[in-house]
Structure formats: C-alpha cells, structure tokens
Coordinates of all heavy atoms in Angstrom, one line a residue:
E1 N 0.8 -1.2 0.0 CA 0.0 0.0 0.0 C 0.9 1.3 0.0 O 0.5 2.3 -0.7 CB -0.9 0.0 1.2 CG -2.0 -1.0 1.1 CD -2.9 -1.1 2.4 OE1 -2.5 -0.4 3.4 OE2 -3.9 -1.8 2.4
T2 N 2.0 1.2 0.7 CA 2.9 2.4 0.8 C 3.5 2.6 -0.6 O 3.7 3.7 -1.0 CB 3.9 2.2 1.9 OG1 3.3 1.9 3.1 CG2 4.8 3.4 2.0
L3 N 3.9 1.5 -1.2 CA 4.5 1.6 -2.5 C 3.5 2.2 -3.5 O 3.8 3.1 -4.4 CB 5.0 0.3 -3.1 CG 6.3 -0.3 -2.4 CD1 6.5 -1.7 -2.9 CD2 7.5 0.6 -2.8
A4 N 2.2 1.9 -3.4 CA 1.2 2.4 -4.2 C 1.0 3.9 -4.0 O 0.8 4.7 -4.9 CB -0.1 1.7 -4.0
E5 N 1.1 4.3 -2.7 CA 1.0 5.7 -2.3 C 2.0 6.6 -3.0 O 1.7 7.7 -3.4 CB 1.2 5.9 -0.8 CG -0.1 5.7 0.0 CD 0.2 6.1 1.4 OE1 0.9 5.3 2.1 OE2 -0.3 7.2 1.8
V6 N 3.2 6.0 -3.2 CA 4.3 6.9 -3.8 C 4.4 6.5 -5.3 O 5.4 7.1 -5.9 CB 5.7 6.7 -3.1 CG1 5.5 7.1 -1.6 CG2 6.2 5.2 -3.2
G7 N 3.6 5.7 -5.8 CA 3.5 5.5 -7.3 C 4.4 4.5 -7.9 O 4.6 4.6 -9.1
I8 N 4.9 3.6 -7.1 CA 5.8 2.6 -7.7 C 5.5 1.2 -7.3 O 6.4 0.3 -7.2 CB 7.3 2.9 -7.2 CG1 7.4 3.0 -5.7 CG2 7.8 4.2 -7.9 CD1 8.9 3.0 -5.2
A9 N 4.2 0.9 -7.1 CA 3.8 -0.5 -6.8 C 4.2 -1.5 -7.8 O 4.4 -2.7 -7.5 CB 2.3 -0.5 -6.5
D10 N 4.2 -1.1 -9.1 CA 4.6 -2.0 -10.2 C 6.0 -2.4 -10.1 O 6.4 -3.4 -10.9 CB 4.2 -1.4 -11.5 CG 4.9 0.0 -11.8 OD1 5.2 0.7 -10.8 OD2 5.1 0.3 -12.9
H11 N 6.8 -1.8 -9.3 CA 8.2 -2.2 -9.2 C 8.5 -3.0 -8.0 O 9.6 -3.4 -7.7 CB 9.1 -0.9 -9.1 CG 9.1 -0.1 -10.3 ND1 9.7 -0.5 -11.5 CD2 8.7 1.2 -10.5 CE1 9.5 0.4 -12.4 NE2 8.9 1.5 -11.8
A12 N 7.5 -3.5 -7.3 CA 7.6 -4.2 -6.0 C 8.5 -5.4 -6.0 O 9.4 -5.5 -5.1 CB 6.2 -4.6 -5.4
E13 N 8.5 -6.1 -7.1 CA 9.3 -7.4 -7.1 C 10.6 -7.2 -7.9 O 11.3 -8.2 -8.1 CB 8.4 -8.5 -7.7 CG 7.2 -8.9 -7.0 CD 7.4 -9.2 -5.5 OE1 8.5 -9.8 -5.3 OE2 6.6 -8.9 -4.7
R14 N 10.9 -6.0 -8.3 CA 12.1 -5.8 -9.0 C 13.3 -5.5 -8.0 O 13.0 -4.9 -7.0 CB 12.0 -4.6 -10.0 CG 11.0 -4.9 -11.1 CD 11.1 -3.7 -12.1 NE 12.4 -3.5 -12.7 CZ 12.7 -2.5 -13.5 NH1 11.7 -1.7 -13.9 NH2 13.9 -2.4 -14.0
P15 N 14.5 -5.9 -8.3 CA 15.6 -5.6 -7.4 C 15.9 -4.1 -7.5 O 15.6 -3.4 -8.6 CB 16.8 -6.3 -8.0 CG 16.4 -6.7 -9.4 CD 14.9 -6.8 -9.4
A16 N 16.3 -3.5 -6.4 CA 16.6 -2.0 -6.4 C 17.7 -1.7 -7.4 O 17.6 -0.5 -8.0 CB 16.9 -1.6 -5.0
S17 N 18.7 -2.5 -7.6 CA 19.8 -2.2 -8.5 C 19.2 -2.1 -9.9 O 18.4 -2.9 -10.4 CB 20.8 -3.3 -8.5 OG 20.3 -4.5 -8.9
G18 N 19.7 -1.0 -10.6 CA 19.3 -0.8 -12.0 C 18.1 0.0 -12.2 O 17.7 0.4 -13.3
L19 N 17.3 0.4 -11.1 CA 16.2 1.2 -11.3 C 16.6 2.7 -11.5 O 17.7 3.1 -11.0 CB 15.3 1.1 -10.0 CG 14.5 -0.2 -9.8 CD1 13.8 -0.2 -8.5 CD2 13.6 -0.5 -11.0
P20 N 15.8 3.5 -12.2 CA 16.1 4.9 -12.3 C 16.2 5.6 -11.0 O 15.6 5.2 -10.0 CB 14.9 5.5 -13.1 CG 14.3 4.3 -13.8 CD 14.5 3.1 -12.9
Y21 N 17.1 6.6 -11.0 CA 17.3 7.3 -9.7 C 16.1 7.9 -9.1 O 15.9 7.8 -7.8 CB 18.4 8.5 -10.0 CG 18.9 9.1 -8.7 CD1 19.8 8.4 -7.9 CD2 18.4 10.3 -8.2 CE1 20.3 9.0 -6.7 CE2 18.9 10.9 -7.1 CZ 19.8 10.2 -6.3 OH 20.3 10.8 -5.1
G22 N 15.2 8.5 -9.9 CA 13.9 9.0 -9.3 C 13.1 8.0 -8.7 O 12.4 8.2 -7.7
T23 N 13.1 6.8 -9.2 CA 12.4 5.6 -8.6 C 13.0 5.2 -7.3 O 12.3 5.0 -6.3 CB 12.3 4.4 -9.6 OG1 11.7 4.8 -10.8 CG2 11.5 3.3 -9.0
L24 N 14.3 5.2 -7.3 CA 15.0 4.8 -6.0 C 14.7 5.9 -4.9 O 14.6 5.5 -3.7 CB 16.5 4.8 -6.3 CG 17.0 3.6 -7.2 CD1 18.5 3.7 -7.4 CD2 16.6 2.3 -6.6
K25 N 14.6 7.1 -5.3 CA 14.2 8.2 -4.3 C 12.8 7.8 -3.7 O 12.6 8.0 -2.5 CB 14.2 9.5 -4.9 CG 15.5 10.2 -5.2 CD 16.0 10.8 -3.9 CE 17.2 11.7 -4.2 NZ 17.6 12.5 -3.0
R26 N 11.9 7.3 -4.5 CA 10.6 7.0 -4.0 C 10.6 5.7 -3.2 O 9.8 5.6 -2.2 CB 9.6 6.8 -5.2 CG 9.3 8.2 -5.9 CD 8.3 8.0 -7.0 NE 8.1 9.3 -7.6 CZ 6.9 9.9 -7.8 NH1 5.8 9.3 -7.3 NH2 6.8 11.0 -8.4
V27 N 11.5 4.8 -3.5 CA 11.7 3.6 -2.7 C 12.1 4.0 -1.3 O 11.6 3.5 -0.3 CB 12.7 2.6 -3.3 CG1 13.0 1.4 -2.4 CG2 12.3 2.1 -4.7
E28 N 13.1 4.9 -1.2 CA 13.6 5.3 0.1 C 12.5 6.0 0.9 O 12.3 5.9 2.1 CB 14.8 6.1 0.0 CG 15.4 6.4 1.4 CD 16.7 7.1 1.3 OE1 16.9 8.1 0.6 OE2 17.7 6.6 2.0
L29 N 11.7 6.9 0.2 CA 10.6 7.6 0.8 C 9.6 6.5 1.3 O 9.1 6.7 2.5 CB 9.9 8.5 -0.2 CG 8.6 9.2 0.3 CD1 8.9 10.0 1.5 CD2 8.1 10.1 -0.9

C-alpha cells in the first residue's frame, strides 16, 4: 500500500539495483 501511495507499486518485485534514480528516491521515501 505504501509503494502504491508513492506511485511505484509495479516495481515491488524488481531488485533495487538498476532502477532509475527518481524511482530509487521513491523507494527510500
């Protein structure tokens, strides 16, 4: 639910490595 709130629920099962920097910022948020 938190990932959906910040707009990146579709990346839930992807490894953090290789994701765009803006997406990684949202992961940390």
Side-chain angles (χ1 to χ4, degrees):
E1 289 176 352
T2 304
L3 286 172
E5 275 188 286
V6 301
I8 55 170
D10 55 333
H11 294 294
E13 299 303 328
R14 293 185 60 182
S17 61
L19 290 174
Y21 190 75
T23 302
L24 294 176
K25 283 278 193 176
R26 290 180 183 240
V27 175
E28 187 170 50
L29 174 60

